[in-house]
Amino acid sequence: MKYKQKIKEIILRLPKGETVWFPAVQFVRKHVFHPFYTMKKEYDEKKEADYILKRMQADDFAEAILVYDAKVSPLTYGDFFNMVMLARYFSMVGKKAKLYILAGEYREDMLEAYGYSSAKSFINNLLELPHVLLSGEKEKISITVFDHFTEMMDACKNKPATIVVFRNEVFKRESVYKHYFNLINILISPDDIQMLDKFLLDRNDMGSIKNIQYPSKPYITWGARYSEKWAFYRNLDAGEMVHIHAELKKMFPDHDVMIVSDAKGCAYFREIAQKHHLPCLFSKDFSKTFMGDCALVVGSDYYFQLRGGGIGVAAMFSNVAHCIICTPGNEKVWQKKGITRWARKNQIWITGRTGLPL
């Protein structure tokens, strides 16, 4: 990431750099190169899916290796959640799934946002996701370093019963997290109702989460983001909070409205709610962890998110009715108003940055 910043600084120092050259570079990157990047990405995902399905049809492998390399991946719950759900898919089709987090080296932007010690702590926090979503089998995930991982893979490279998902990219240390969501959508047919019933999350899947309570009355959830680290444009502001709360209460007058956010987010939105006299529940009064918040989403009668963050994956991978208004990053929008191939009519995705719940 540091080299990108240096290039940007050089461009900005050029005559008319900020007013002419930098916008021109941004335009070319977005409108000229990005379509080719998207086509290549979709081709790679389809190719990998075809390979996996072919190997499954031949029934000649028993274990899938999935990798989250912190050197080229963000320290975000949502992106890691996608990888764990891909592991859940392999488990559903009778294959073992082993997850590796490659730690010790971190992306420049993540180090700037977290610092080294906090980055290490976040990696440890990620362990909760597979422990909940993969039946609590701790041996299914390991934290290691790249060199040790390659040694382990070299030791079993002659074992055809093991496949490494996106193998070439993993060993080149290219990011593969960006492929996992779309790969799931290719592998799972929306017509395979039996598979979806097992795969998609419900409240029963969250039974192993500790220190969580559910509201006693019917409630809906609202994923609201407030971060002081990065992507400030995705934060929810006070004006939006007031308008969205009014719309949600119109839609669900007999339900409590729960703001779902991290500890800082809940504290920030609690102040706004008190100032504007908005009756709200806050997720951190009911759960202490990210997966606890996911359980609250899955157990609710409706979920809404404007821009927001990774907590939305809990709704996407469940049967909970929802409306998410967001600009996709690495995800392909698979339906006109649905982010997944299996989304129902009451599971709405709208590409954008502004709007109200539907």
Side-chain angles (χ1 to χ4, degrees):
M1 298 298 293
K2 190 175 292 185
Y3 75 92
K4 292 183 180 179
Q5 183 63 30
K6 288 183 178 179
I7 292 173
K8 178 179 177 180
E9 292 173 357
I10 291 171
I11 294 173
L12 292 177
R13 285 200 298 268
L14 293 172
K16 298 183 179 180
E18 188 170 0
T19 57
V20 176
W21 293 115
F22 188 67
V25 170
Q26 293 288 76
F27 179 86
V28 170
R29 182 184 173 201
K30 180 177 180 180
H31 297 285
V32 178
F33 292 121
H34 187 70
F36 292 101
Y37 165 79
T38 301
M39 290 171 59
K40 176 64 165 56
K41 182 173 178 292
E42 291 185 4
Y43 171 81
D44 291 342
E45 290 160 356
K46 180 63 166 57
K47 181 180 178 182
E48 191 69 17
D50 288 343
Y51 171 73
I52 292 170
L53 292 172
K54 183 179 178 180
R55 294 288 300 269
M56 287 177 57
Q57 188 175 15
D59 196 23
D60 65 352
F61 80 97
E63 183 179 54
I65 303 295
L66 303 174
V67 176
Y68 200 84
D69 188 347
K71 183 179 180 179
V72 290
S73 304
L75 299 181
T76 51
Y77 285 112
D79 291 302
F80 185 74
F81 194 102
N82 291 334
M83 185 181 79
V84 178
M85 290 303 292
L86 180 56
R88 181 178 171 91
Y89 162 79
F90 281 115
S91 296
M92 296 294 175
V93 296
K95 306 297 182 183
K96 294 180 180 179
K98 183 65 183 287
L99 285 67
Y100 288 92
I101 300 176
L102 306 186
E105 301 172 88
Y106 303 98
R107 276 184 10 181
E108 288 285 342
D109 56 339
M110 295 295 103
L111 280 177
E112 291 175 5
Y114 281 90
Y116 191 83
S117 60
S118 294
K120 287 178 63 178
S121 297
F122 187 88
I123 290 293
N124 288 325
N125 291 341
L126 292 177
L127 296 178
E128 182 194 21
L129 279 69
H131 291 170
V132 173
L133 299 176
L134 302 179
S135 304
E137 298 179 30
K138 295 184 178 181
E139 65 272 13
K140 287 186 174 181
I141 182 162
S142 297
I143 300 175
T144 186
V145 296
F146 180 73
D147 289 344
H148 186 214
F149 171 76
T150 56
E151 289 173 3
M152 290 187 291
M153 292 301 103
D154 283 341
C156 65
K157 65 182 178 182
N158 294 322
K159 297 179 181 179
T162 299
I163 66 171
V164 179
V165 179
F166 288 104
R167 182 184 187 90
N168 291 337
E169 289 86 346
V170 165
F171 287 103
K172 290 178 182 177
R173 305 207 78 175
E174 297 176 358
S175 60
V176 295
Y177 73 91
K178 59 190 178 184
H179 298 300
Y180 289 139
F181 181 86
N182 293 339
L183 186 58
I184 295 170
N185 276 272
I186 299 172
L187 291 172
I188 299 181
S189 168
D191 299 322
D192 193 343
I193 304 302
Q194 187 175 5
M195 164 59 78
L196 288 173
D197 283 344
K198 294 191 300 180
F199 176 75
L200 296 179
L201 303 174
D202 60 30
R203 188 162 166 172
N204 293 329
D205 292 305
M206 307 297 184
S208 64
I209 299 174
K210 299 178 180 179
N211 301 320
I212 180 174
Q213 296 178 335
Y214 291 92
S216 57
K217 298 179 180 179
Y219 70 100
I220 61 174
T221 45
W222 173 8
R225 181 181 188 272
Y226 175 73
S227 174
E228 298 174 341
K229 297 182 183 296
W230 66 81
F232 309 118
Y233 69 90
R234 290 163 56 195
N235 289 348
L236 190 76
D237 65 37
E240 290 172 327
M241 183 176 175
V242 171
H243 286 114
I244 291 170
H245 185 276
E247 292 299 313
L248 289 173
K249 289 302 291 182
K250 286 180 185 177
M251 295 170 64
F252 297 92
D254 299 324
H255 284 65
D256 288 333
V257 176
M258 177 185 290
I259 297 285
V260 182
S261 192
D262 61 14
K264 284 189 176 181
C266 283
Y268 174 77
F269 293 117
R270 196 190 300 271
E271 289 186 6
I272 297 175
Q274 291 173 348
K275 179 179 179 180
H276 294 277
H277 309 290
L278 307 177
C280 290
L281 305 177
F282 296 89
S283 64
K284 284 296 162 278
D285 293 333
F286 297 85
S287 83
K288 303 301 180 185
T289 64
F290 177 81
M291 282 307 302
D293 287 351
C294 288
L296 293 169
V297 170
V298 171
S300 68
D301 290 332
Y302 175 83
Y303 173 80
F304 176 72
Q305 176 176 310
L306 175 61
R307 299 184 301 273
I311 192 65
V313 292
M316 296 176 201
F317 286 110
S318 75
N319 285 317
V320 175
H322 60 259
C323 175
I324 298 175
I325 303 172
C326 189
T327 301
N330 298 301
E331 304 84 5
K332 176 180 178 180
V333 180
W334 291 89
Q335 300 184 47
K336 185 177 181 180
K337 285 191 176 181
I339 190 67
T340 64
R341 291 177 69 201
W342 55 79
R344 305 191 311 272
K345 290 183 179 179
N346 65 352
Q347 296 179 309
I348 299 169
W349 173 280
I350 299 174
T351 297
R353 293 188 179 181
T354 60
L356 295 171
L358 295 175

